[in-house]
Amino acid sequence: MNENIQYKLAILPDEPGCYLMKDRQGTIIYVGKAKVLKNRVRSYFTGTHDGKTQRLVSEIEDFEYIVTSSNLEALMLELNLIKLHDPKYNIMLKDDKTYPYIKITNEKYPRILTTRKVKKDKAKYFGPYPNAFAANETRKLLDRIYPLRKCSKLPDRVCLYYHLGQCLAPCVKEIEPIVYEEMIEEISKFLSGGYEEVKDNLQKKMLDAAENLEFERAKEYRDQIAHIETIMQKQKIVSKDLSNRDVFGYAVEKGWMCVQVFFVRQGKLIERDVSIFPIHQDPEEEFLTFIGRFYDIPEHIKPKEIFIPSNIDETILEKLLDVKVIIPKRGQKKELVDLAMKNAQIALHEKFQLIERQEERTVGACEELGLAMNIAPPLRIEAFDNSHMHGADAVSAMVVFIDGKPAKKEYRKYKLREAAKHDDYGAMQEVIRRRYTRVLKENLPLPDLIIIDGGKGQMEVAREVVEDELGLYIPIAGLAKDEKHNTSQLLFGDPPVPIEMKRTSDGFYLLQRIQDEVHRFAITFLRQQHQTNAIQSVLDQIEGIGPKRKQQLLKHFGSIKKIKESTVEQLMEANIPSKTANAIYQYFHKDTLPKE
């Protein structure tokens, strides 16, 4: 704890609010809320914590706080600050599982669709459904019962659906808006649990048709009724009132939380969502934050009501979400919440061993590496490798690992501009200079460790640029390979010496992954560059071929080989002028053409 933090802790107010934790580069790494700021923020710097919270505290170099007038205001501010700053230690809620929904489009002549994307387009969405089959079967049933438009674009004549009585043909007929409004209202009732009413109406129509001796029509109504019963019986009824609700339960253990959400639609439990994540404040506070962010995901449509466990303040959630929040006390509804809590506990136990092993291989490996090198855990590592094709097409590549995992969006490729042919040291200097000049200029995050895929020479030229030219003091390590091109040694220090590490350790395995990844990335870029240059060198020698025409040829034929094998007529079919087509043909066939 530095002097600045000690001073700020002494003057924290006894008020509700939010706090923002920062690392040494001023980046916000965690946002939290508190009923009493003084108590909550001080708790991070006193007493003992689990591994996750210890790691967070070890990175805190400063903090800010914002006082609010109420706990609800603090929760709302926390949600907004997390959206704004995306701190790495806050829960990363991602919609990695999309559910199918039924959509009634907001068009003059509406359609019923199955979709996995919920958009803010004024359409009506119903779901989620347990799988695409259930959603499609329901949609097909509704398409048979209600004659809505089926075509994505209105044709200029009626289609088969009109003759089957499943479309009103708005393509050729003027349909009153009230007709569609009534159908949409009935469909909405059906999808919201009112299918018994729809079934009764079909039963009445069936009897009327039979009485009028319209047996084919009566049979059609009978089949539709049977289809409704089949679809609705496939799902287990868990509530007799047919309401749409989400049921939340959670469990906490060893600084981790699991939240289970049961989606109950039309009185049926159709799907669940499971989230497991580390927590850094009171479980009840984390749970409130989770629910507040849960409905930010478009696919999570707010139901009419939600059920939560008894130890949560439902009044805050009601104001935040603008839905009815219920804490069931007894009976079937309480059993649902208890079931969600039980499933959360089971999921946490089942996943714990896997999570702990993953931590050992990622963040744990970084900590092991830092310990071996006697530096702070290198949570951000940037690694460099050079590659060339016998001295030609020289390129460099950089990969980034954050918390022991590849951050592929931050990878960078470099075409070398200044380094002489076969000058590996010059190439390394150039790419290191270009990278960290830009980092300083654009105020990008600095790495905790730079890894050079090479030995002492490459390490020294990198150090000269980083320290002597740019005045940065970042640990630089080298990775040496054995005769089989496998990672053999970690070099570090001044002068560089081998660092002893067990080859079976997670830290050494992390180094192998980094070296393999930067080599793969560099080689892939080299091959792309070599292929591009080869194409350029052949086509650029032909008169009348510029960048656009070159792209046109490659798009049409797909390769230089096919261009070479083409006749003049085939070249002209690619919209190449006669003169240029002849020039291309003559260039590739100059050795076979008869000499004058």
PDB file of all heavy atoms in Angstrom, residues 276-291:
ATOM      1  N   ILE A 276     -20.457 -18.716 -14.248  1.00  0.00           N
ATOM      2  CA  ILE A 276     -19.526 -18.909 -13.133  1.00  0.00           C
ATOM      3  C   ILE A 276     -18.412 -17.883 -13.262  1.00  0.00           C
ATOM      4  O   ILE A 276     -17.816 -17.745 -14.331  1.00  0.00           O
ATOM      5  CB  ILE A 276     -18.943 -20.337 -13.128  1.00  0.00           C
ATOM      6  CG1 ILE A 276     -20.061 -21.375 -12.999  1.00  0.00           C
ATOM      7  CG2 ILE A 276     -17.936 -20.511 -11.998  1.00  0.00           C
ATOM      8  CD1 ILE A 276     -19.596 -22.813 -13.050  1.00  0.00           C
ATOM      9  N   PHE A 277     -18.140 -17.139 -12.175  1.00  0.00           N
ATOM     10  CA  PHE A 277     -17.176 -16.042 -12.260  1.00  0.00           C
ATOM     11  C   PHE A 277     -16.616 -15.723 -10.876  1.00  0.00           C
ATOM     12  O   PHE A 277     -17.238 -16.026  -9.851  1.00  0.00           O
ATOM     13  CB  PHE A 277     -17.851 -14.787 -12.843  1.00  0.00           C
ATOM     14  CG  PHE A 277     -19.171 -14.456 -12.210  1.00  0.00           C
ATOM     15  CD1 PHE A 277     -19.239 -13.645 -11.087  1.00  0.00           C
ATOM     16  CD2 PHE A 277     -20.347 -14.947 -12.731  1.00  0.00           C
ATOM     17  CE1 PHE A 277     -20.447 -13.346 -10.485  1.00  0.00           C
ATOM     18  CE2 PHE A 277     -21.575 -14.659 -12.133  1.00  0.00           C
ATOM     19  CZ  PHE A 277     -21.619 -13.849 -11.010  1.00  0.00           C
ATOM     20  N   PRO A 278     -15.415 -15.104 -10.817  1.00  0.00           N
ATOM     21  CA  PRO A 278     -14.844 -14.706  -9.525  1.00  0.00           C
ATOM     22  C   PRO A 278     -15.530 -13.450  -8.991  1.00  0.00           C
ATOM     23  O   PRO A 278     -16.029 -12.630  -9.773  1.00  0.00           O
ATOM     24  CB  PRO A 278     -13.378 -14.411  -9.860  1.00  0.00           C
ATOM     25  CG  PRO A 278     -13.406 -14.013 -11.301  1.00  0.00           C
ATOM     26  CD  PRO A 278     -14.508 -14.817 -11.936  1.00  0.00           C
ATOM     27  N   ILE A 279     -15.580 -13.299  -7.677  1.00  0.00           N
ATOM     28  CA  ILE A 279     -16.192 -12.108  -7.074  1.00  0.00           C
ATOM     29  C   ILE A 279     -15.182 -11.434  -6.152  1.00  0.00           C
ATOM     30  O   ILE A 279     -14.278 -12.069  -5.607  1.00  0.00           O
ATOM     31  CB  ILE A 279     -17.491 -12.447  -6.315  1.00  0.00           C
ATOM     32  CG1 ILE A 279     -17.225 -13.444  -5.163  1.00  0.00           C
ATOM     33  CG2 ILE A 279     -18.529 -12.990  -7.265  1.00  0.00           C
ATOM     34  CD1 ILE A 279     -18.441 -13.706  -4.287  1.00  0.00           C
ATOM     35  N   HIS A 280     -15.356 -10.111  -5.961  1.00  0.00           N
ATOM     36  CA  HIS A 280     -14.424  -9.320  -5.149  1.00  0.00           C
ATOM     37  C   HIS A 280     -15.135  -8.471  -4.102  1.00  0.00           C
ATOM     38  O   HIS A 280     -14.517  -7.659  -3.434  1.00  0.00           O
ATOM     39  CB  HIS A 280     -13.575  -8.422  -6.055  1.00  0.00           C
ATOM     40  CG  HIS A 280     -12.892  -9.164  -7.158  1.00  0.00           C
ATOM     41  ND1 HIS A 280     -11.827 -10.001  -6.944  1.00  0.00           N
ATOM     42  CD2 HIS A 280     -13.141  -9.212  -8.493  1.00  0.00           C
ATOM     43  CE1 HIS A 280     -11.428 -10.521  -8.088  1.00  0.00           C
ATOM     44  NE2 HIS A 280     -12.219 -10.058  -9.040  1.00  0.00           N
ATOM     45  N   GLN A 281     -16.473  -8.621  -3.979  1.00  0.00           N
ATOM     46  CA  GLN A 281     -17.214  -7.912  -2.941  1.00  0.00           C
ATOM     47  C   GLN A 281     -18.282  -8.854  -2.374  1.00  0.00           C
ATOM     48  O   GLN A 281     -18.296 -10.039  -2.697  1.00  0.00           O
ATOM     49  CB  GLN A 281     -17.816  -6.614  -3.493  1.00  0.00           C
ATOM     50  CG  GLN A 281     -18.648  -6.755  -4.752  1.00  0.00           C
ATOM     51  CD  GLN A 281     -19.125  -5.411  -5.286  1.00  0.00           C
ATOM     52  OE1 GLN A 281     -18.987  -4.373  -4.663  1.00  0.00           O
ATOM     53  NE2 GLN A 281     -19.692  -5.420  -6.482  1.00  0.00           N
ATOM     54  N   ASP A 282     -19.168  -8.347  -1.517  1.00  0.00           N
ATOM     55  CA  ASP A 282     -20.169  -9.199  -0.883  1.00  0.00           C
ATOM     56  C   ASP A 282     -20.989  -9.946  -1.942  1.00  0.00           C
ATOM     57  O   ASP A 282     -21.382  -9.358  -2.958  1.00  0.00           O
ATOM     58  CB  ASP A 282     -21.125  -8.353  -0.030  1.00  0.00           C
ATOM     59  CG  ASP A 282     -20.416  -7.780   1.195  1.00  0.00           C
ATOM     60  OD1 ASP A 282     -19.378  -8.352   1.579  1.00  0.00           O
ATOM     61  OD2 ASP A 282     -20.897  -6.775   1.742  1.00  0.00           O
ATOM     62  N   PRO A 283     -21.294 -11.237  -1.702  1.00  0.00           N
ATOM     63  CA  PRO A 283     -22.058 -12.008  -2.691  1.00  0.00           C
ATOM     64  C   PRO A 283     -23.383 -11.354  -3.078  1.00  0.00           C
ATOM     65  O   PRO A 283     -23.759 -11.362  -4.257  1.00  0.00           O
ATOM     66  CB  PRO A 283     -22.291 -13.345  -1.964  1.00  0.00           C
ATOM     67  CG  PRO A 283     -21.148 -13.470  -1.018  1.00  0.00           C
ATOM     68  CD  PRO A 283     -20.856 -12.060  -0.567  1.00  0.00           C
ATOM     69  N   GLU A 284     -24.082 -10.781  -2.098  1.00  0.00           N
ATOM     70  CA  GLU A 284     -25.378 -10.150  -2.398  1.00  0.00           C
ATOM     71  C   GLU A 284     -25.204  -8.967  -3.354  1.00  0.00           C
ATOM     72  O   GLU A 284     -26.012  -8.761  -4.262  1.00  0.00           O
ATOM     73  CB  GLU A 284     -26.063  -9.682  -1.100  1.00  0.00           C
ATOM     74  CG  GLU A 284     -26.524 -10.803  -0.191  1.00  0.00           C
ATOM     75  CD  GLU A 284     -25.382 -11.445   0.589  1.00  0.00           C
ATOM     76  OE1 GLU A 284     -24.287 -10.832   0.666  1.00  0.00           O
ATOM     77  OE2 GLU A 284     -25.567 -12.571   1.106  1.00  0.00           O
ATOM     78  N   GLU A 285     -24.116  -8.190  -3.145  1.00  0.00           N
ATOM     79  CA  GLU A 285     -23.839  -7.040  -4.026  1.00  0.00           C
ATOM     80  C   GLU A 285     -23.492  -7.530  -5.437  1.00  0.00           C
ATOM     81  O   GLU A 285     -23.937  -6.967  -6.442  1.00  0.00           O
ATOM     82  CB  GLU A 285     -22.686  -6.206  -3.457  1.00  0.00           C
ATOM     83  CG  GLU A 285     -22.963  -5.593  -2.096  1.00  0.00           C
ATOM     84  CD  GLU A 285     -24.073  -4.553  -2.150  1.00  0.00           C
ATOM     85  OE1 GLU A 285     -24.106  -3.773  -3.122  1.00  0.00           O
ATOM     86  OE2 GLU A 285     -24.915  -4.526  -1.238  1.00  0.00           O
ATOM     87  N   GLU A 286     -22.674  -8.584  -5.527  1.00  0.00           N
ATOM     88  CA  GLU A 286     -22.291  -9.133  -6.829  1.00  0.00           C
ATOM     89  C   GLU A 286     -23.523  -9.683  -7.554  1.00  0.00           C
ATOM     90  O   GLU A 286     -23.653  -9.538  -8.777  1.00  0.00           O
ATOM     91  CB  GLU A 286     -21.258 -10.258  -6.655  1.00  0.00           C
ATOM     92  CG  GLU A 286     -19.899  -9.790  -6.170  1.00  0.00           C
ATOM     93  CD  GLU A 286     -19.015  -9.264  -7.296  1.00  0.00           C
ATOM     94  OE1 GLU A 286     -19.515  -9.088  -8.426  1.00  0.00           O
ATOM     95  OE2 GLU A 286     -17.821  -9.024  -7.036  1.00  0.00           O
ATOM     96  N   PHE A 287     -24.413 -10.315  -6.790  1.00  0.00           N
ATOM     97  CA  PHE A 287     -25.623 -10.887  -7.387  1.00  0.00           C
ATOM     98  C   PHE A 287     -26.517  -9.788  -7.966  1.00  0.00           C
ATOM     99  O   PHE A 287     -27.056  -9.922  -9.068  1.00  0.00           O
ATOM    100  CB  PHE A 287     -26.366 -11.696  -6.328  1.00  0.00           C
ATOM    101  CG  PHE A 287     -27.580 -12.421  -6.849  1.00  0.00           C
ATOM    102  CD1 PHE A 287     -27.445 -13.452  -7.751  1.00  0.00           C
ATOM    103  CD2 PHE A 287     -28.859 -12.065  -6.432  1.00  0.00           C
ATOM    104  CE1 PHE A 287     -28.561 -14.132  -8.237  1.00  0.00           C
ATOM    105  CE2 PHE A 287     -29.977 -12.734  -6.898  1.00  0.00           C
ATOM    106  CZ  PHE A 287     -29.824 -13.770  -7.808  1.00  0.00           C
ATOM    107  N   LEU A 288     -26.668  -8.690  -7.237  1.00  0.00           N
ATOM    108  CA  LEU A 288     -27.447  -7.548  -7.737  1.00  0.00           C
ATOM    109  C   LEU A 288     -26.842  -7.006  -9.028  1.00  0.00           C
ATOM    110  O   LEU A 288     -27.553  -6.704  -9.992  1.00  0.00           O
ATOM    111  CB  LEU A 288     -27.508  -6.434  -6.682  1.00  0.00           C
ATOM    112  CG  LEU A 288     -28.477  -6.629  -5.511  1.00  0.00           C
ATOM    113  CD1 LEU A 288     -28.264  -5.542  -4.466  1.00  0.00           C
ATOM    114  CD2 LEU A 288     -29.927  -6.613  -5.989  1.00  0.00           C
ATOM    115  N   THR A 289     -25.519  -6.860  -9.038  1.00  0.00           N
ATOM    116  CA  THR A 289     -24.836  -6.357 -10.237  1.00  0.00           C
ATOM    117  C   THR A 289     -25.046  -7.310 -11.409  1.00  0.00           C
ATOM    118  O   THR A 289     -25.286  -6.882 -12.545  1.00  0.00           O
ATOM    119  CB  THR A 289     -23.329  -6.187  -9.965  1.00  0.00           C
ATOM    120  OG1 THR A 289     -23.148  -5.285  -8.875  1.00  0.00           O
ATOM    121  CG2 THR A 289     -22.607  -5.642 -11.187  1.00  0.00           C
ATOM    122  N   PHE A 290     -24.950  -8.617 -11.141  1.00  0.00           N
ATOM    123  CA  PHE A 290     -25.139  -9.613 -12.203  1.00  0.00           C
ATOM    124  C   PHE A 290     -26.514  -9.469 -12.846  1.00  0.00           C
ATOM    125  O   PHE A 290     -26.642  -9.421 -14.075  1.00  0.00           O
ATOM    126  CB  PHE A 290     -24.974 -11.028 -11.633  1.00  0.00           C
ATOM    127  CG  PHE A 290     -25.239 -12.110 -12.649  1.00  0.00           C
ATOM    128  CD1 PHE A 290     -24.207 -12.592 -13.437  1.00  0.00           C
ATOM    129  CD2 PHE A 290     -26.519 -12.622 -12.824  1.00  0.00           C
ATOM    130  CE1 PHE A 290     -24.450 -13.576 -14.389  1.00  0.00           C
ATOM    131  CE2 PHE A 290     -26.774 -13.606 -13.778  1.00  0.00           C
ATOM    132  CZ  PHE A 290     -25.724 -14.083 -14.558  1.00  0.00           C
ATOM    133  N   ILE A 291     -27.571  -9.407 -12.017  1.00  0.00           N
ATOM    134  CA  ILE A 291     -28.926  -9.297 -12.577  1.00  0.00           C
ATOM    135  C   ILE A 291     -29.084  -7.977 -13.333  1.00  0.00           C
ATOM    136  O   ILE A 291     -29.701  -7.925 -14.403  1.00  0.00           O
ATOM    137  CB  ILE A 291     -29.998  -9.424 -11.473  1.00  0.00           C
ATOM    138  CG1 ILE A 291     -29.922 -10.799 -10.806  1.00  0.00           C
ATOM    139  CG2 ILE A 291     -31.387  -9.208 -12.051  1.00  0.00           C
ATOM    140  CD1 ILE A 291     -30.942 -11.031  -9.713  1.00  0.00           C
TER     141      ILE A 291
END
